Amino acid sequence: MRLILAGMLSILGIYAVAQSKLRCELQACVESPSVFEFDGGSFFPVRQPVKIEEGTYEFQLPASGNRFYYVGSNTQNLVPVILGEEELVVLKGDCRNFRGAIIESPVNEAYTQLKQKLNDLQSRHSTLNRQHQMAAGEGQEKAAAQLKALDEEKLALLETMEKQDPLLGKVAAINTFLSYQHNGGNYENEIDYFAKEYFHFVNFEDPAYQYLPWTFESFRSYTTTIISVGLPEEQQRAYLDGALAKMERGGLTHKLALSGVIATLKQKSNSNFVYFGQQFVDAFKDSDPSAAANMQAQIAQMKSFVVGGQAPDFTQSTPEGGEMSLSDLRGKIVLVDFWASWCGPCRRENPNVVRMYNKYKDKGFDILGVSLDKTHDRWLQAIEQDGLTWHHVSDLKGWSNEVAQSYGVRSIPHTILVDQEGRILARNLRGEALERKLEELFD
């Protein structure tokens, strides 16, 4: 009876192999590699190797369904590897650059090919979507027909991957998004379709997604789009909440997805970081108190840089060699304007800022320009050429400007509007958005 049961389990693939072995054949190793897992917040080692000989290491993992692990010397030098079902996976490379390693195994080779196909499909989709938006008449019809054919190609790839390997099927599913032109008829606009259908082919109740790095990466990408199209932050929050509601709160899949959302919000200094960071704390304070405490500390820090927070004071040098602080302008509504002489978009925006300054400077409006220049002469020349008659400071460290770093500025032009008490009213207002806000405050 036991032999019959073992045979049945073998047929089902449950005991296909007793162990899944990873052999690493490496050069230039100073220390032994490790096998890591990723939970959305951090990488942590789960297996240490047996050293077979110089440069050759082996890891033994329990046989299971295929899933992603990471192999490397430290958390900054890792490569993803699929392990679990194959008896032997061989990794060949250099310990100084695990990302460039070659992984010899059918499923890992198939995964590499799948990534290439997905990148190609995404690139073609973006190109055709732009062509459809810009074209008219026959040109638009041609682009629409090509998008439809591309949709069919995506669905065919998804079907093939689901048949080939369950894990690769999950990777394909979370990366399959069909065109709005042929599938968005029930939606008011393209962003509403995107927000509600981006994960159409994904069943987040499937436990495989709790170990899939694409869960984290896809929510990062999804969040980037949601916050980059000019939606009010309340609508951004509603869409993100809707996507996260597709999975069990507090589970590992939710942890990966929510961490992806938070990573993007933090990178973009979006004030919704506080809202979703608190969600993370509430959901994982019992299961992962260390990660929850770290998130709570990040929330406390970020509150100083989001709308409604107290703008941290700073002091830097003026063009004349003196010093000026943000707090010197307390009592006025102040636009902190991050820019540089070499920044084309900044220089093109300057005439609009000059117009707003001249219109409202006698009503309590002021500007403090923070330059990301490195050369004093070029900074001063740009101020004079563009007629920027307000206050200016810089430490002439370029992108390493300490104020820009502390405020999370990663692109310019970038503005922060501060009220009379030093609280942040808005971030990144330019053009018509800045004009409307100033009209609201002064007219």
Side-chain angles (χ1 to χ4, degrees):
M1 181 67 180
R2 183 177 298 173
L3 290 175
I4 294 173
L5 179 59
M8 292 175 62
L9 292 172
S10 178
I11 292 172
L12 292 172
I14 296 176
Y15 289 130
V17 291
Q19 295 283 330
S20 180
K21 182 187 293 184
L22 171 66
R23 178 185 300 148
C24 297
E25 300 175 3
L26 302 166
Q27 299 175 351
C29 286
V30 176
E31 56 184 335
S32 301
S34 299
V35 171
F36 295 80
E37 290 184 8
F38 177 64
D39 67 354
S42 61
F43 293 92
F44 51 94
V46 293
R47 287 288 187 280
Q48 298 299 321
V50 173
K51 186 174 182 178
I52 305 302
E53 59 185 41
E54 191 63 36
T56 301
Y57 304 86
E58 287 189 354
F59 298 87
Q60 298 280 353
L61 290 96
S64 64
N66 277 332
R67 52 173 289 196
F68 281 90
Y69 294 88
Y70 294 83
V71 180
S73 56
N74 57 66
T75 59
Q76 304 301 314
N77 183 22
L78 298 173
V79 61
V81 182
I82 299 172
L83 301 169
E85 288 186 1
E86 296 175 320
E87 285 193 47
L88 177 64
V89 175
V90 179
L91 183 151
K92 297 180 178 180
D94 190 315
C95 280
R96 295 166 296 188
N97 179 25
F98 273 91
R99 294 177 185 176
I102 296 172
I103 303 169
E104 296 178 351
S105 88
V107 70
N108 281 280
E109 290 164 7
Y111 173 62
T112 298
Q113 295 172 4
L114 174 59
K115 284 195 298 180
Q116 293 170 347
K117 291 178 182 176
L118 291 171
N119 287 337
D120 174 64
L121 290 169
Q122 183 178 9
S123 176
R124 287 159 57 196
H125 179 101
S126 297
T127 298
L128 289 172
N129 203 43
R130 285 194 301 270
Q131 290 177 357
H132 185 271
Q133 291 171 350
M134 297 174 65
E138 292 184 3
Q140 192 173 68
E141 292 177 4
K142 180 180 178 181
Q146 291 174 311
L147 281 166
K148 185 174 183 180
L150 190 64
D151 284 346
E152 293 170 357
E153 193 174 340
K154 291 177 182 179
L155 291 173
L157 176 63
L158 174 58
E159 183 179 2
T160 299
M161 290 298 102
E162 288 176 336
K163 291 178 180 178
Q164 180 175 340
D165 183 274
L167 182 64
L168 297 183
K170 305 296 186 304
V171 174
I174 206 167
N175 283 282
T176 299
F177 176 67
L178 304 181
S179 66
Y180 169 69
Q181 290 81 359
H182 296 285
N183 302 275
N186 295 327
Y187 292 90
E188 293 183 4
N189 52 59
E190 188 168 358
I191 187 59
D192 195 47
Y193 168 71
F194 172 88
K196 295 176 180 177
E197 296 294 336
Y198 188 77
F199 297 108
H200 177 84
F201 295 96
V202 183
N203 175 16
F204 283 116
E205 294 180 0
D206 188 320
Y209 286 99
Q210 65 188 4
Y211 300 112
L212 193 68
W214 283 101
T215 303
F216 175 86
E217 294 298 338
S218 294
F219 269 87
R220 284 198 69 167
S221 177
Y222 176 80
T223 305
T224 297
T225 299
I226 291 296
I227 69 175
S228 299
V229 294
L231 295 171
E233 291 191 346
E234 295 80 4
Q235 184 61 63
Q236 297 173 18
R237 190 159 57 241
Y239 280 145
L240 293 171
D241 271 333
L244 290 167
K246 298 177 184 294
M247 58 203 70
E248 179 187 0
R249 182 181 180 277
L252 293 178
T253 302
H254 180 231
K255 191 175 188 181
L256 276 175
L258 183 54
S259 296
V261 171
I262 290 169
T264 296
L265 295 175
K266 182 178 181 181
Q267 181 185 23
K268 301 295 184 181
S269 300
N270 186 288
S271 63
N272 277 322
F273 172 86
V274 174
Y275 174 83
F276 287 101
Q278 191 59 52
Q279 278 195 13
F280 185 96
V281 172
D282 294 341
F284 301 105
K285 60 186 177 183
D286 295 328
S287 60
D288 194 348
S290 176
N294 180 56
M295 183 61 65
Q296 193 71 67
Q298 293 184 54
I299 291 171
Q301 182 182 30
M302 182 63 93
K303 280 183 176 179
S304 297
F305 301 100
V306 299
V307 174
Q310 190 74 24
D313 197 15
F314 59 85
T315 302
Q316 284 197 342
S317 299
T318 66
E320 297 77 24
E323 289 190 340
M324 185 169 189
S325 303
L326 175 60
S327 57
D328 293 339
L329 300 174
R330 193 63 55 85
K332 295 183 177 182
I333 290 178
V334 180
L335 185 73
V336 182
D337 184 14
F338 293 91
W339 74 295
S341 66
W342 45 260
C343 169
C346 304
R347 303 293 294 273
R348 289 192 291 273
E349 173 70 7
N350 277 341
N352 179 63
V353 183
V354 169
R355 183 169 59 85
M356 293 296 98
Y357 177 68
N358 290 334
K359 184 175 181 180
Y360 294 111
K361 64 181 181 180
D362 295 330
K363 297 183 178 182
F365 177 57
D366 215 331
I367 300 176
L368 179 56
V370 181
S371 172
L372 274 63
D373 276 282
K374 287 186 174 182
T375 305
H376 182 274
D377 290 345
R378 291 183 180 176
W379 174 34
L380 187 59
Q381 184 180 43
I383 292 172
E384 293 174 350
Q385 286 178 345
D386 293 2
L388 312 183
T389 58
W390 46 79
H391 309 285
H392 296 274
V393 295
S394 181
D395 58 11
L396 297 179
K397 294 181 180 180
W399 280 111
S400 298
N401 181 286
E402 292 180 6
V403 179
Q405 293 284 313
S406 67
Y407 273 83
V409 175
R410 293 175 174 83
S411 63
I412 53 175
H414 188 105
T415 61
I416 298 172
L417 192 65
V418 179
D419 72 8
Q420 294 90 334
E421 285 76 41
R423 292 186 297 268
I424 297 176
L425 290 170
R427 292 188 69 132
N428 223 16
L429 295 178
R430 295 193 295 274
E432 292 183 3
L434 175 60
E435 186 169 2
R436 287 195 301 269
K437 186 64 176 179
L438 294 178
E439 286 177 352
E440 173 190 320
L441 292 169
F442 292 111
D443 290 345

